[in-house]
Amino acid sequence: MTDLRKTQAEAFLQRAGWGAATRRHLAGDASDRSYQRLTLNDRSAVLMDAPPGRGDDPRDFARIAGHLRALGLSAPEVMASDFDHGFLLLEDLGDGIFARLVSQAPAREPALYYAAAEVLLHLQAAPAPENLPDPGAADWARAAAFALDWYRHAILGDSGDRELFVDCLTRSLRRLADGPRVLILRDYHAENLLWLDDRSGLARVGLLDFQLAQMGQPAYDLVSLLQDARRDVAPETETAVCATFRKALDIPADHFSATYAALGAQRALRILGIFARLCLVAGKPAYLRLAPRVWGQLQRNLAHPELTELAGVCARLLPEPTPEALVRIEGQCCAFPTP
């Protein structure tokens, strides 16, 4: 944090009545946002620092948080805001991150993931906020082309046949995953979900990192939850939660499995590109160690019979993230810094 940024943060906290709070770094993520936990007497809160002009607008966070809270869900209350400078003072939902809880007690995984899926069903049953981005199949395919533009390019030095890739993925998504839209939160996974013991019902699941919410397919956030780039979800948990979700929406099993695989492939492709870009542009090579897991998820999705053509295109265009390939990407860390 620059000296100017520190001064701006201190002024915001003074105005919000938290100027005397002690501050401790809480988390950072793949974006330019960072978080600090504030302690003042017996109270705590969280400072979100989202520098303006870096992609995420805290107004979007506040808007979606309000929508979620109106549905009875546990998004953090926005206690104070300075949108112009990119600061929010948020309710502190604690430390019960799903990933941490499951690491400590693996037997808790099914119950936590069932609860997260129930939240999705409740969220998707309600009308979405107006004027959210609503990308079509071609937009989703172009987003997945990050896999060529950044991941492949960093390994092989070119982007391959981008037009073939985008055309094939567009057709697959139009055929299998382009139905009526619902609100999706996009980064719905175990490090953005918390268990709140002192609440009841759906409110026991705390929600974070939803500022990029948009319209999408019902199974997209389920894929995000169950095909997590950061941890392995037990296969039996994935199968059982998918079955519960599918039955709740009354979707035929064959159709659901094809949709789930198509969305999973799109998401895995985009993530491979994002992880490479985070190294090349943002100087964050640590995400590369997650690439083999994402590659495995991609291959599992591409094995679906409805994705045979896409599987062939990906086999031609995308190299495996071998140790040698990942070293090649990491060797170019910050080769394309942001201006």
PDB file of all heavy atoms in Angstrom, residues 178-202:
ATOM      1  N   ASP A 178     -26.927 -23.070 -22.817  1.00  0.00           N
ATOM      2  CA  ASP A 178     -27.293 -21.708 -23.221  1.00  0.00           C
ATOM      3  C   ASP A 178     -28.785 -21.479 -23.020  1.00  0.00           C
ATOM      4  O   ASP A 178     -29.445 -20.881 -23.850  1.00  0.00           O
ATOM      5  CB  ASP A 178     -26.899 -21.471 -24.682  1.00  0.00           C
ATOM      6  CG  ASP A 178     -26.819 -19.993 -25.039  1.00  0.00           C
ATOM      7  OD1 ASP A 178     -26.604 -19.172 -24.128  1.00  0.00           O
ATOM      8  OD2 ASP A 178     -26.977 -19.654 -26.221  1.00  0.00           O
ATOM      9  N   GLY A 179     -29.300 -21.963 -21.902  1.00  0.00           N
ATOM     10  CA  GLY A 179     -30.724 -21.835 -21.621  1.00  0.00           C
ATOM     11  C   GLY A 179     -31.048 -20.576 -20.838  1.00  0.00           C
ATOM     12  O   GLY A 179     -30.257 -19.626 -20.801  1.00  0.00           O
ATOM     13  N   PRO A 180     -32.211 -20.544 -20.189  1.00  0.00           N
ATOM     14  CA  PRO A 180     -32.615 -19.371 -19.402  1.00  0.00           C
ATOM     15  C   PRO A 180     -31.577 -19.030 -18.334  1.00  0.00           C
ATOM     16  O   PRO A 180     -31.006 -19.911 -17.701  1.00  0.00           O
ATOM     17  CB  PRO A 180     -33.942 -19.816 -18.775  1.00  0.00           C
ATOM     18  CG  PRO A 180     -34.451 -20.876 -19.706  1.00  0.00           C
ATOM     19  CD  PRO A 180     -33.246 -21.589 -20.209  1.00  0.00           C
ATOM     20  N   ARG A 181     -31.354 -17.746 -18.141  1.00  0.00           N
ATOM     21  CA  ARG A 181     -30.305 -17.284 -17.244  1.00  0.00           C
ATOM     22  C   ARG A 181     -30.811 -17.081 -15.820  1.00  0.00           C
ATOM     23  O   ARG A 181     -31.983 -16.789 -15.587  1.00  0.00           O
ATOM     24  CB  ARG A 181     -29.707 -15.956 -17.736  1.00  0.00           C
ATOM     25  CG  ARG A 181     -29.299 -15.897 -19.189  1.00  0.00           C
ATOM     26  CD  ARG A 181     -28.159 -16.874 -19.488  1.00  0.00           C
ATOM     27  NE  ARG A 181     -27.386 -16.453 -20.626  1.00  0.00           N
ATOM     28  CZ  ARG A 181     -27.654 -16.770 -21.897  1.00  0.00           C
ATOM     29  NH1 ARG A 181     -28.712 -17.510 -22.172  1.00  0.00           N
ATOM     30  NH2 ARG A 181     -26.877 -16.356 -22.886  1.00  0.00           N
ATOM     31  N   VAL A 182     -29.871 -17.216 -14.888  1.00  0.00           N
ATOM     32  CA  VAL A 182     -30.103 -16.878 -13.482  1.00  0.00           C
ATOM     33  C   VAL A 182     -28.918 -16.052 -12.997  1.00  0.00           C
ATOM     34  O   VAL A 182     -27.894 -15.930 -13.689  1.00  0.00           O
ATOM     35  CB  VAL A 182     -30.246 -18.146 -12.610  1.00  0.00           C
ATOM     36  CG1 VAL A 182     -31.457 -18.972 -13.030  1.00  0.00           C
ATOM     37  CG2 VAL A 182     -28.966 -18.987 -12.664  1.00  0.00           C
ATOM     38  N   LEU A 183     -29.039 -15.497 -11.802  1.00  0.00           N
ATOM     39  CA  LEU A 183     -27.916 -14.786 -11.191  1.00  0.00           C
ATOM     40  C   LEU A 183     -26.848 -15.798 -10.786  1.00  0.00           C
ATOM     41  O   LEU A 183     -27.132 -16.782 -10.093  1.00  0.00           O
ATOM     42  CB  LEU A 183     -28.394 -14.016  -9.961  1.00  0.00           C
ATOM     43  CG  LEU A 183     -27.301 -13.332  -9.119  1.00  0.00           C
ATOM     44  CD1 LEU A 183     -26.593 -12.244  -9.914  1.00  0.00           C
ATOM     45  CD2 LEU A 183     -27.900 -12.754  -7.840  1.00  0.00           C
ATOM     46  N   ILE A 184     -25.611 -15.571 -11.213  1.00  0.00           N
ATOM     47  CA  ILE A 184     -24.491 -16.390 -10.758  1.00  0.00           C
ATOM     48  C   ILE A 184     -23.477 -15.482 -10.071  1.00  0.00           C
ATOM     49  O   ILE A 184     -23.281 -14.331 -10.461  1.00  0.00           O
ATOM     50  CB  ILE A 184     -23.832 -17.185 -11.908  1.00  0.00           C
ATOM     51  CG1 ILE A 184     -23.259 -16.247 -12.982  1.00  0.00           C
ATOM     52  CG2 ILE A 184     -24.825 -18.152 -12.533  1.00  0.00           C
ATOM     53  CD1 ILE A 184     -22.431 -16.961 -14.046  1.00  0.00           C
ATOM     54  N   LEU A 185     -22.824 -16.016  -9.042  1.00  0.00           N
ATOM     55  CA  LEU A 185     -21.848 -15.240  -8.264  1.00  0.00           C
ATOM     56  C   LEU A 185     -20.422 -15.413  -8.777  1.00  0.00           C
ATOM     57  O   LEU A 185     -19.530 -14.654  -8.418  1.00  0.00           O
ATOM     58  CB  LEU A 185     -21.933 -15.626  -6.786  1.00  0.00           C
ATOM     59  CG  LEU A 185     -23.327 -15.470  -6.154  1.00  0.00           C
ATOM     60  CD1 LEU A 185     -23.264 -15.791  -4.658  1.00  0.00           C
ATOM     61  CD2 LEU A 185     -23.884 -14.071  -6.378  1.00  0.00           C
ATOM     62  N   ARG A 186     -20.167 -16.449  -9.576  1.00  0.00           N
ATOM     63  CA  ARG A 186     -18.949 -16.690 -10.353  1.00  0.00           C
ATOM     64  C   ARG A 186     -17.793 -17.301  -9.579  1.00  0.00           C
ATOM     65  O   ARG A 186     -17.163 -18.224 -10.066  1.00  0.00           O
ATOM     66  CB  ARG A 186     -18.487 -15.412 -11.071  1.00  0.00           C
ATOM     67  CG  ARG A 186     -19.449 -14.953 -12.144  1.00  0.00           C
ATOM     68  CD  ARG A 186     -18.889 -13.813 -12.941  1.00  0.00           C
ATOM     69  NE  ARG A 186     -17.629 -14.160 -13.598  1.00  0.00           N
ATOM     70  CZ  ARG A 186     -16.901 -13.306 -14.295  1.00  0.00           C
ATOM     71  NH1 ARG A 186     -17.285 -12.049 -14.414  1.00  0.00           N
ATOM     72  NH2 ARG A 186     -15.779 -13.688 -14.859  1.00  0.00           N
ATOM     73  N   ASP A 187     -17.457 -16.813  -8.419  1.00  0.00           N
ATOM     74  CA  ASP A 187     -16.351 -17.382  -7.642  1.00  0.00           C
ATOM     75  C   ASP A 187     -16.895 -18.046  -6.386  1.00  0.00           C
ATOM     76  O   ASP A 187     -16.510 -17.728  -5.263  1.00  0.00           O
ATOM     77  CB  ASP A 187     -15.325 -16.306  -7.290  1.00  0.00           C
ATOM     78  CG  ASP A 187     -14.463 -15.933  -8.478  1.00  0.00           C
ATOM     79  OD1 ASP A 187     -14.107 -16.843  -9.255  1.00  0.00           O
ATOM     80  OD2 ASP A 187     -14.150 -14.749  -8.642  1.00  0.00           O
ATOM     81  N   TYR A 188     -17.775 -18.990  -6.598  1.00  0.00           N
ATOM     82  CA  TYR A 188     -18.503 -19.642  -5.512  1.00  0.00           C
ATOM     83  C   TYR A 188     -17.753 -20.920  -5.132  1.00  0.00           C
ATOM     84  O   TYR A 188     -18.007 -22.003  -5.669  1.00  0.00           O
ATOM     85  CB  TYR A 188     -19.918 -19.959  -5.999  1.00  0.00           C
ATOM     86  CG  TYR A 188     -20.904 -20.310  -4.905  1.00  0.00           C
ATOM     87  CD1 TYR A 188     -21.489 -19.303  -4.133  1.00  0.00           C
ATOM     88  CD2 TYR A 188     -21.294 -21.615  -4.675  1.00  0.00           C
ATOM     89  CE1 TYR A 188     -22.410 -19.604  -3.148  1.00  0.00           C
ATOM     90  CE2 TYR A 188     -22.218 -21.932  -3.690  1.00  0.00           C
ATOM     91  CZ  TYR A 188     -22.774 -20.919  -2.938  1.00  0.00           C
ATOM     92  OH  TYR A 188     -23.704 -21.231  -1.964  1.00  0.00           O
ATOM     93  N   HIS A 189     -16.783 -20.780  -4.216  1.00  0.00           N
ATOM     94  CA  HIS A 189     -15.969 -21.937  -3.843  1.00  0.00           C
ATOM     95  C   HIS A 189     -15.613 -21.872  -2.363  1.00  0.00           C
ATOM     96  O   HIS A 189     -15.966 -20.916  -1.652  1.00  0.00           O
ATOM     97  CB  HIS A 189     -14.722 -22.040  -4.715  1.00  0.00           C
ATOM     98  CG  HIS A 189     -13.850 -20.829  -4.703  1.00  0.00           C
ATOM     99  ND1 HIS A 189     -13.055 -20.489  -3.634  1.00  0.00           N
ATOM    100  CD2 HIS A 189     -13.648 -19.853  -5.637  1.00  0.00           C
ATOM    101  CE1 HIS A 189     -12.388 -19.388  -3.904  1.00  0.00           C
ATOM    102  NE2 HIS A 189     -12.736 -18.970  -5.105  1.00  0.00           N
ATOM    103  N   ALA A 190     -14.882 -22.875  -1.904  1.00  0.00           N
ATOM    104  CA  ALA A 190     -14.708 -23.115  -0.466  1.00  0.00           C
ATOM    105  C   ALA A 190     -13.909 -22.048   0.251  1.00  0.00           C
ATOM    106  O   ALA A 190     -13.940 -21.999   1.490  1.00  0.00           O
ATOM    107  CB  ALA A 190     -14.052 -24.480  -0.243  1.00  0.00           C
ATOM    108  N   GLU A 191     -13.193 -21.190  -0.455  1.00  0.00           N
ATOM    109  CA  GLU A 191     -12.474 -20.108   0.216  1.00  0.00           C
ATOM    110  C   GLU A 191     -13.269 -18.811   0.232  1.00  0.00           C
ATOM    111  O   GLU A 191     -12.830 -17.823   0.827  1.00  0.00           O
ATOM    112  CB  GLU A 191     -11.104 -19.909  -0.434  1.00  0.00           C
ATOM    113  CG  GLU A 191     -10.177 -21.096  -0.182  1.00  0.00           C
ATOM    114  CD  GLU A 191      -8.755 -20.843  -0.603  1.00  0.00           C
ATOM    115  OE1 GLU A 191      -8.452 -19.715  -1.035  1.00  0.00           O
ATOM    116  OE2 GLU A 191      -7.944 -21.769  -0.496  1.00  0.00           O
ATOM    117  N   ASN A 192     -14.440 -18.819  -0.407  1.00  0.00           N
ATOM    118  CA  ASN A 192     -15.323 -17.655  -0.371  1.00  0.00           C
ATOM    119  C   ASN A 192     -16.624 -17.943   0.362  1.00  0.00           C
ATOM    120  O   ASN A 192     -17.569 -17.158   0.290  1.00  0.00           O
ATOM    121  CB  ASN A 192     -15.644 -17.188  -1.800  1.00  0.00           C
ATOM    122  CG  ASN A 192     -14.469 -16.493  -2.454  1.00  0.00           C
ATOM    123  OD1 ASN A 192     -13.614 -15.936  -1.771  1.00  0.00           O
ATOM    124  ND2 ASN A 192     -14.412 -16.531  -3.772  1.00  0.00           N
ATOM    125  N   LEU A 193     -16.680 -19.075   1.071  1.00  0.00           N
ATOM    126  CA  LEU A 193     -17.859 -19.464   1.836  1.00  0.00           C
ATOM    127  C   LEU A 193     -17.459 -19.687   3.289  1.00  0.00           C
ATOM    128  O   LEU A 193     -16.393 -20.261   3.550  1.00  0.00           O
ATOM    129  CB  LEU A 193     -18.470 -20.746   1.265  1.00  0.00           C
ATOM    130  CG  LEU A 193     -18.933 -20.673  -0.192  1.00  0.00           C
ATOM    131  CD1 LEU A 193     -19.293 -22.064  -0.702  1.00  0.00           C
ATOM    132  CD2 LEU A 193     -20.118 -19.731  -0.336  1.00  0.00           C
ATOM    133  N   LEU A 194     -18.292 -19.243   4.206  1.00  0.00           N
ATOM    134  CA  LEU A 194     -18.023 -19.402   5.635  1.00  0.00           C
ATOM    135  C   LEU A 194     -19.209 -20.070   6.306  1.00  0.00           C
ATOM    136  O   LEU A 194     -20.364 -19.889   5.889  1.00  0.00           O
ATOM    137  CB  LEU A 194     -17.775 -18.049   6.309  1.00  0.00           C
ATOM    138  CG  LEU A 194     -16.703 -17.136   5.740  1.00  0.00           C
ATOM    139  CD1 LEU A 194     -17.342 -16.070   4.853  1.00  0.00           C
ATOM    140  CD2 LEU A 194     -15.918 -16.470   6.864  1.00  0.00           C
ATOM    141  N   TRP A 195     -18.929 -20.814   7.370  1.00  0.00           N
ATOM    142  CA  TRP A 195     -19.991 -21.405   8.176  1.00  0.00           C
ATOM    143  C   TRP A 195     -20.189 -20.547   9.422  1.00  0.00           C
ATOM    144  O   TRP A 195     -19.249 -20.274  10.156  1.00  0.00           O
ATOM    145  CB  TRP A 195     -19.635 -22.831   8.584  1.00  0.00           C
ATOM    146  CG  TRP A 195     -20.771 -23.534   9.251  1.00  0.00           C
ATOM    147  CD1 TRP A 195     -20.867 -23.878  10.568  1.00  0.00           C
ATOM    148  CD2 TRP A 195     -21.980 -23.979   8.636  1.00  0.00           C
ATOM    149  NE1 TRP A 195     -22.067 -24.514  10.801  1.00  0.00           N
ATOM    150  CE2 TRP A 195     -22.777 -24.584   9.641  1.00  0.00           C
ATOM    151  CE3 TRP A 195     -22.478 -23.919   7.330  1.00  0.00           C
ATOM    152  CZ2 TRP A 195     -24.030 -25.134   9.373  1.00  0.00           C
ATOM    153  CZ3 TRP A 195     -23.728 -24.463   7.066  1.00  0.00           C
ATOM    154  CH2 TRP A 195     -24.481 -25.067   8.082  1.00  0.00           C
ATOM    155  N   LEU A 196     -21.433 -20.097   9.631  1.00  0.00           N
ATOM    156  CA  LEU A 196     -21.763 -19.191  10.720  1.00  0.00           C
ATOM    157  C   LEU A 196     -22.620 -19.939  11.738  1.00  0.00           C
ATOM    158  O   LEU A 196     -23.842 -20.066  11.590  1.00  0.00           O
ATOM    159  CB  LEU A 196     -22.505 -17.962  10.180  1.00  0.00           C
ATOM    160  CG  LEU A 196     -21.799 -17.242   9.012  1.00  0.00           C
ATOM    161  CD1 LEU A 196     -22.662 -16.111   8.483  1.00  0.00           C
ATOM    162  CD2 LEU A 196     -20.433 -16.738   9.439  1.00  0.00           C
ATOM    163  N   ASP A 197     -21.978 -20.451  12.786  1.00  0.00           N
ATOM    164  CA  ASP A 197     -22.661 -21.298  13.769  1.00  0.00           C
ATOM    165  C   ASP A 197     -23.788 -20.578  14.491  1.00  0.00           C
ATOM    166  O   ASP A 197     -24.737 -21.219  14.956  1.00  0.00           O
ATOM    167  CB  ASP A 197     -21.652 -21.813  14.803  1.00  0.00           C
ATOM    168  CG  ASP A 197     -20.874 -23.016  14.305  1.00  0.00           C
ATOM    169  OD1 ASP A 197     -21.499 -23.909  13.709  1.00  0.00           O
ATOM    170  OD2 ASP A 197     -19.650 -23.051  14.496  1.00  0.00           O
ATOM    171  N   ASP A 198     -23.689 -19.254  14.591  1.00  0.00           N
ATOM    172  CA  ASP A 198     -24.672 -18.529  15.391  1.00  0.00           C
ATOM    173  C   ASP A 198     -25.908 -18.135  14.589  1.00  0.00           C
ATOM    174  O   ASP A 198     -26.788 -17.445  15.109  1.00  0.00           O
ATOM    175  CB  ASP A 198     -24.034 -17.278  15.999  1.00  0.00           C
ATOM    176  CG  ASP A 198     -23.495 -16.327  14.931  1.00  0.00           C
ATOM    177  OD1 ASP A 198     -23.287 -16.767  13.786  1.00  0.00           O
ATOM    178  OD2 ASP A 198     -23.273 -15.145  15.258  1.00  0.00           O
ATOM    179  N   ARG A 199     -26.005 -18.592  13.338  1.00  0.00           N
ATOM    180  CA  ARG A 199     -27.173 -18.287  12.518  1.00  0.00           C
ATOM    181  C   ARG A 199     -27.918 -19.582  12.194  1.00  0.00           C
ATOM    182  O   ARG A 199     -27.443 -20.670  12.502  1.00  0.00           O
ATOM    183  CB  ARG A 199     -26.752 -17.533  11.256  1.00  0.00           C
ATOM    184  CG  ARG A 199     -26.013 -16.239  11.596  1.00  0.00           C
ATOM    185  CD  ARG A 199     -25.767 -15.346  10.427  1.00  0.00           C
ATOM    186  NE  ARG A 199     -24.917 -14.212  10.818  1.00  0.00           N
ATOM    187  CZ  ARG A 199     -24.616 -13.194  10.027  1.00  0.00           C
ATOM    188  NH1 ARG A 199     -25.083 -13.137   8.780  1.00  0.00           N
ATOM    189  NH2 ARG A 199     -23.842 -12.211  10.477  1.00  0.00           N
ATOM    190  N   SER A 200     -29.047 -19.452  11.544  1.00  0.00           N
ATOM    191  CA  SER A 200     -29.864 -20.629  11.269  1.00  0.00           C
ATOM    192  C   SER A 200     -30.264 -20.665   9.798  1.00  0.00           C
ATOM    193  O   SER A 200     -30.226 -19.646   9.096  1.00  0.00           O
ATOM    194  CB  SER A 200     -31.119 -20.646  12.150  1.00  0.00           C
ATOM    195  OG  SER A 200     -31.919 -19.497  11.894  1.00  0.00           O
ATOM    196  N   GLY A 201     -30.670 -21.849   9.349  1.00  0.00           N
ATOM    197  CA  GLY A 201     -31.134 -21.998   7.981  1.00  0.00           C
ATOM    198  C   GLY A 201     -30.065 -21.651   6.971  1.00  0.00           C
ATOM    199  O   GLY A 201     -28.870 -21.862   7.182  1.00  0.00           O
ATOM    200  N   LEU A 202     -30.494 -21.105   5.842  1.00  0.00           N
ATOM    201  CA  LEU A 202     -29.562 -20.744   4.778  1.00  0.00           C
ATOM    202  C   LEU A 202     -28.585 -19.661   5.217  1.00  0.00           C
ATOM    203  O   LEU A 202     -27.495 -19.540   4.647  1.00  0.00           O
ATOM    204  CB  LEU A 202     -30.338 -20.274   3.541  1.00  0.00           C
ATOM    205  CG  LEU A 202     -31.244 -21.320   2.879  1.00  0.00           C
ATOM    206  CD1 LEU A 202     -31.997 -20.693   1.715  1.00  0.00           C
ATOM    207  CD2 LEU A 202     -30.443 -22.525   2.410  1.00  0.00           C
TER     208      LEU A 202
END
